[in-house]
Amino acid sequence: MKTRSATVLAVLMMLLCALALVPVTAASAGTSGGPRTWHVLVGGQSADQAVQAEGYYPHVITIDAGDTVVWTLNSPELHGVVFTGTCGDVSCVTPDCLTLIQNGLNDISPCGPSSFDGVTALDQSGRMVSPVYNWDNSFAHGTMTYSLTFTRPGVNVYFDLSVAGMRGVVIVHPAGTPYPSTQAQYSQQAQQQLHADLAAGAQARDDAQQVTVSAGPGGTRTYHVALGASPPETARLDLSPAAGSAARGSALLEGSGIGTSPTPSITVRVSLSGLAPGSVHAAQILPGVCGAPAPTTGIYFSAIFVPPAFTLNNLTAGPDGTATSTTVLTIPPNFSGGGQLVIPSSGWFINVAASPAADNGTTSAACGNVVYHSAAVMRYLPQNLHIHVGDTVEWTSDTGNEPHAVTFLAGQPLPQLPDWYFSSPTGNGISYDGSSYFNSGLLYRTDTGRPHSLTLTFTKTGIFPYVDVGDFFMKMRGSVIVTPP
C-alpha cells in the first residue's frame, strides 16, 4: 500500500519467466466449452529491478460469464487489483470492506466476495505482498495471486489505488460466447506490452538528469536529487473507422506538469479525414475500450475518478472532409492515486460520435484505444551523492505515478509495513548530522497538496546511507557522502 488512496475512500466510509509459467489454454479462440480460468500478470521489472512496469498484462482480456481471472504478482513491488461496481449506495459495500474503510485501512487488506457481478460497490485483492517484505502480519494482506469469478456480462475497468494510471479492463460476454483469443495469445500480448513498458522506463532512466546544483549561502551548495523517474506523459493512437464510416485519423495526448505542477493538464489533439463536409462530431474520452464502454457510475468509481469521462471539443469537417480539435484537460485536486490526472496504462478510449451529441459511445464514426507505456524508475538520481559539510540536499518527487520517501535508518532496523506508512515525518528543512533515525514520510506529486520534497543541511562528515522503505526490496537505496568544507 501507499497511502495516497486514503483520503477519498475514508470520505466515503521475474518478467518473461513468469509469463512462461502462465498456464495455456489448449482450446482455440472461438470455442467455449464451459467456465475457464484466465491469467493476467501484475507489474513486471527489469533484471536489476530498477525499472518497474506499472500495468496489468495483458491490458484487456475478454471472457465469458462464469469464468475466473487470476492475477499474479510479477515483481516485488506492492500492487493491488480493485473493482468498483455500479451501485451508488453504501448498502452495497460488504461488511468486510466497510470495516477496512472505517479503520482507515482502505486498500491494505482483501475484501469483497469471491465473485463479481459488476454491481457490488467494492471488490479488491488488498496489497499483494511478496514474501521478501517484512510485513506486519497483524494487518491482513493479499498474496501473490488474486482470483475473481465474473458472473454477469459487462465491461469492468479495474485499477491499483496506489499507482496513478495503472488500470486494466475485463470484458465479460454472456456464457457460451465464442472467445476472441486464447490464453496463449493473451500471454503473447502480455509479453509485448510488458517489453514496451520496460523499454519506456529504461529510456526514462537514461534521460533523467542525475543532479542539479544551485548556489547556497556562504559559498555552500544545494544539490537537487530526483526521487525516481517516469516516461514522458505522451500517447499517440490511431482512430479507426467504425462500421459504415469512412472517417479515420489520429490523436495525440501530451501531459504538462504531471507530477511537477499543482495544476497539471493533458492536451488532446484529434485529427480526422473522411468525414462528410460540414458535419459536426462530438468527441469524448471514455473508460473502457472501443466498442465496449465501461460504466461511469458507482459510489467508489465516481468518487475516485472525477470526472470519470472527458468531453472534448467538437470536430467540424471542412469542405475536404477533414477536421481537427484541441482540448486541454484538467481536473480538481485529487488525493487518490488511482484518480490523479495521468494518461492511464489502458482503460481509456477516444470516441468520435456520428453526430454533434456526446452519447458516451452509443454511436461512433471513429475510435481508438489509449495506451501509455507506464513505468517507474526505482532509483534515487543519483544514488550516491558527494557533498561538503554545510551543503544542503533537496529530494523532490516529480514522477507522475509513484510517491517515494527518504529514510536514514542510522543503524535502526528496517521498519515494518504497513506500519511505516502511518508513521509521522521526522522533520523538513532542518540540519542533520547523520547520527539518528530520520524519516521524510511519503513524498507525493505536487498536485496532491501533500508533502512533495525533503530538504536537509548536513553538518558532519561521514557516509550516510538512506532508503525508500516502501521500495527497499527493489533496491531503492542511496547515500550522502559528506566531506570537510
Side-chain angles (χ1 to χ4, degrees):
M1 172 199 129
K2 291 185 178 177
T3 56
R4 52 181 170 264
S5 65
T7 301
V8 168
L9 293 182
V11 165
L12 290 170
M13 283 278 207
M14 218 70 297
L15 189 53
L16 295 181
C17 62
L19 283 162
L21 296 175
V22 169
V24 174
T25 303
S28 63
T31 61
S32 181
R36 292 192 190 178
T37 298
W38 304 86
H39 296 267
V40 175
L41 294 179
V42 180
Q45 63 183 0
S46 59
D48 63 357
Q49 299 181 306
V51 178
Q52 296 291 319
E54 308 289 22
Y56 301 100
Y57 307 101
H59 295 325
V60 181
I61 190 166
T62 301
I63 65 173
D64 284 0
D67 288 356
T68 298
V69 179
V70 178
W71 287 266
T72 300
L73 190 63
N74 194 36
S75 87
E77 186 176 11
L78 299 171
H79 282 300
V81 174
V82 179
F83 282 86
T84 58
T86 57
C87 180
D89 191 275
V90 176
S91 63
C92 298
V93 183
T94 57
D96 56 342
C97 290
L98 190 59
T99 298
L100 286 178
I101 296 164
Q102 291 172 337
N103 291 334
L105 299 178
N106 303 315
D107 63 335
I108 290 179
S109 302
C111 73
S114 59
S115 60
F116 186 66
D117 59 7
V119 177
T120 301
L122 181 62
D123 220 333
Q124 66 180 28
S125 65
R127 293 291 90 192
M128 301 174 74
V129 178
S130 166
V132 301
Y133 274 86
N134 58 331
W135 188 272
D136 180 352
N137 286 320
S138 66
F139 294 89
H141 61 80
T143 64
M144 293 285 286
T145 62
Y146 173 65
S147 64
L148 203 57
T149 299
F150 293 81
T151 60
R152 291 177 57 177
V155 181
N156 306 279
V157 174
Y158 64 96
F159 49 91
D160 184 336
L161 271 172
S162 289
V163 179
M166 184 169 171
R167 301 178 202 171
V169 182
V170 177
I171 301 170
V172 185
H173 286 165
T177 302
Y179 297 110
S181 300
T182 64
Q183 180 66 64
Q185 291 167 328
Y186 282 130
S187 294
Q188 184 177 25
Q189 290 177 26
Q191 291 186 37
Q192 294 167 347
Q193 294 164 355
L194 187 51
H195 271 306
D197 289 357
L198 290 173
Q203 188 63 54
R205 185 185 186 187
D206 290 343
D207 293 342
Q209 190 169 12
Q210 289 292 305
V211 67
T212 59
V213 184
S214 57
T220 63
R221 293 183 173 185
T222 298
Y223 294 80
H224 304 273
V225 176
L227 298 177
S230 54
E233 203 80 15
T234 302
R236 300 175 185 271
L237 59 144
D238 292 329
L239 299 174
S240 301
S245 171
R248 64 175 62 248
S250 62
L252 171 65
L253 291 79
E254 292 183 297
S256 175
I258 305 294
T260 62
S261 170
T263 55
S265 62
I266 298 173
T267 299
V268 184
R269 298 179 176 88
V270 179
S271 300
L272 280 182
S273 61
L275 299 170
S279 61
V280 180
H281 302 265
Q284 292 175 284
I285 293 179
L286 299 169
V289 295
C290 287
T296 57
T297 58
I299 187 171
Y300 287 108
F301 190 89
S302 58
I304 293 169
F305 301 103
V306 183
F310 295 91
T311 297
L312 308 179
N313 292 324
N314 284 358
L315 293 109
T316 302
D320 61 354
T322 65
T324 62
S325 76
T326 299
T327 308
V328 178
L329 308 180
T330 59
I331 66 172
N334 194 328
F335 293 147
S336 170
Q340 290 161 1
L341 185 65
V342 293
I343 303 172
S345 57
S346 62
W348 267 9
F349 68 100
I350 293 180
N351 186 69
V352 179
S355 73
D359 58 14
N360 297 321
T362 302
T363 68
S364 182
C367 191
N369 295 322
V370 176
V371 176
Y372 168 64
H373 296 303
S374 183
V377 178
M378 298 294 190
R379 293 293 183 269
Y380 299 105
L381 302 170
Q383 283 188 265
N384 302 307
L385 179 66
H386 292 263
I387 66 171
H388 298 290
V389 170
D391 287 344
T392 297
V393 181
E394 180 185 44
W395 291 266
T396 305
S397 182
D398 284 339
T399 58
N401 49 17
E402 286 275 344
H404 289 294
V406 174
T407 301
F408 290 87
L409 297 175
Q412 298 297 312
L414 187 72
Q416 284 190 306
L417 297 178
D419 311 63
W420 176 79
Y421 292 122
F422 307 125
S423 63
S424 299
T426 308
N428 203 340
I430 61 176
S431 297
Y432 181 63
D433 65 6
S435 64
S436 59
Y437 175 90
F438 186 95
N439 174 35
S440 70
L442 283 172
L443 301 172
Y444 298 84
R445 294 167 37 143
T446 306
D447 57 314
T448 63
R450 297 180 175 188
H452 174 63
S453 63
L454 168 70
T455 301
L456 292 178
T457 299
F458 287 79
T459 60
K460 288 187 177 180
T461 60
I463 299 175
F464 307 113
Y466 62 94
V467 302
D468 183 332
V469 174
D471 296 323
F472 176 82
F473 294 100
M474 278 78 74
K475 303 177 184 176
M476 191 159 180
R477 310 164 196 174
S479 64
V480 180
I481 299 96
V482 185
T483 55

